Amino acid sequence: MSRPVLLVFLLIVLIITSQFEWKQPLVIDLDATPTISQQQQQQQHVSKREEVVKEKIILSQEKNIQRLNELVRSLREQLQQCKGSNEANGTARPLTAHVIGLERQQLLEG
């Protein structure tokens, strides 16, 4: 081969390979962009689901607290009734001491 033909051939190869290398990153960038946005969307979706679950847990705990407060209120009313009936019988002091002991035990266990 003559030298100019070889130079033209190398120039063509260089142009073709450089064009291929320039286009390849563009294809990768185009492919990567939807993947990144899809990942962000998935993360946002997961975050929303986590928030919904946390809200449900909080609502459930609030309902449980309300129910426990109602039970405490009911038990206090029953205790007052028992104290009233026991005072009439004259046995209030031993039972009151027993109730206080039970309350302390429940507080230590809870």
Side-chain angles (χ1 to χ4, degrees):
M1 273 195 203
S2 66
R3 190 173 187 157
V5 173
L6 183 61
L7 287 175
V8 170
F9 177 73
L10 287 175
L11 184 63
I12 291 173
V13 170
L14 180 65
I15 291 172
I16 291 173
T17 56
S18 65
Q19 289 293 326
F20 177 73
E21 290 175 7
W22 288 344
K23 288 183 180 179
Q24 189 174 5
L26 292 175
V27 172
I28 290 173
D29 289 340
L30 292 174
D31 289 342
T33 303
T35 304
I36 291 170
S37 65
Q38 285 176 353
Q39 288 174 349
Q40 289 174 346
Q41 287 176 353
Q42 287 175 351
Q43 288 174 349
Q44 289 174 350
H45 186 67
V46 168
S47 296
K48 287 179 182 178
R49 279 193 278 166
E50 287 176 353
E51 288 179 23
V52 168
V53 169
K54 287 177 183 178
E55 287 176 8
K56 286 182 179 181
I57 290 171
I58 289 170
L59 289 174
S60 173
Q61 289 176 341
E62 286 177 353
K63 287 180 184 178
N64 287 337
I65 289 170
Q66 288 176 353
R67 190 170 41 121
L68 289 172
N69 285 335
E70 290 173 7
L71 287 172
V72 168
R73 193 176 308 118
S74 172
L75 288 172
R76 284 184 178 161
E77 289 174 4
Q78 290 176 11
L79 180 62
Q80 291 296 328
Q81 290 174 356
C82 288
K83 284 182 180 179
S85 66
N86 286 336
E87 286 176 0
N89 293 335
T91 58
R93 287 189 179 188
L95 286 176
T96 303
H98 181 67
V99 169
I100 291 172
L102 287 175
E103 287 177 349
R104 286 182 186 163
Q105 183 181 3
Q106 287 176 349
L107 288 174
L108 293 175
E109 289 175 359

